[in-house]
Amino acid sequence: MKVDLKFASDDDEQLWNTIVDSSYHGTIFHTYKWLKIIEKYSNSRLYPIIGYRGSVVVGLYPLFFSKH
């Protein structure tokens, strides 16, 4: 079954954090606000990706891009 990827926006912050909170491996360092802080101070760009199978979220992937 395929996984559809969607870039999360600031409107998806609550969904993102709910998924992080429900994950056994989720920590404060995976929360949306923390990732935005990392983006700001690392001089990089955050691309928060949510993976869906149908309407079910199957994964989160915070991708950072930086030009050096």
Side-chain angles (χ1 to χ4, degrees):
M1 187 175 210
K2 72 176 186 163
V3 175
D4 294 314
L5 302 177
K6 174 192 166 206
F7 288 108
S9 68
D10 290 342
D11 295 336
D12 296 314
E13 180 177 357
Q14 184 176 1
L15 170 63
W16 185 283
N17 290 337
T18 299
I19 295 164
V20 168
D21 289 342
S22 68
S23 170
Y24 179 72
H25 298 288
T27 69
I28 189 173
F29 304 110
H30 299 104
T31 61
Y32 195 82
K33 187 173 185 177
W34 188 267
L35 296 172
K36 294 300 280 184
I37 292 169
I38 293 169
E39 176 186 42
K40 180 179 178 182
Y41 290 101
S42 68
N43 205 20
S44 62
R45 175 88 171 128
L46 171 64
Y47 294 96
I49 300 170
I50 302 175
Y52 290 92
R53 279 198 183 144
S55 62
V56 177
V57 175
V58 294
L60 301 176
Y61 191 80
L63 179 65
F64 287 91
F65 179 77
S66 178
K67 266 196 217 182
H68 289 217

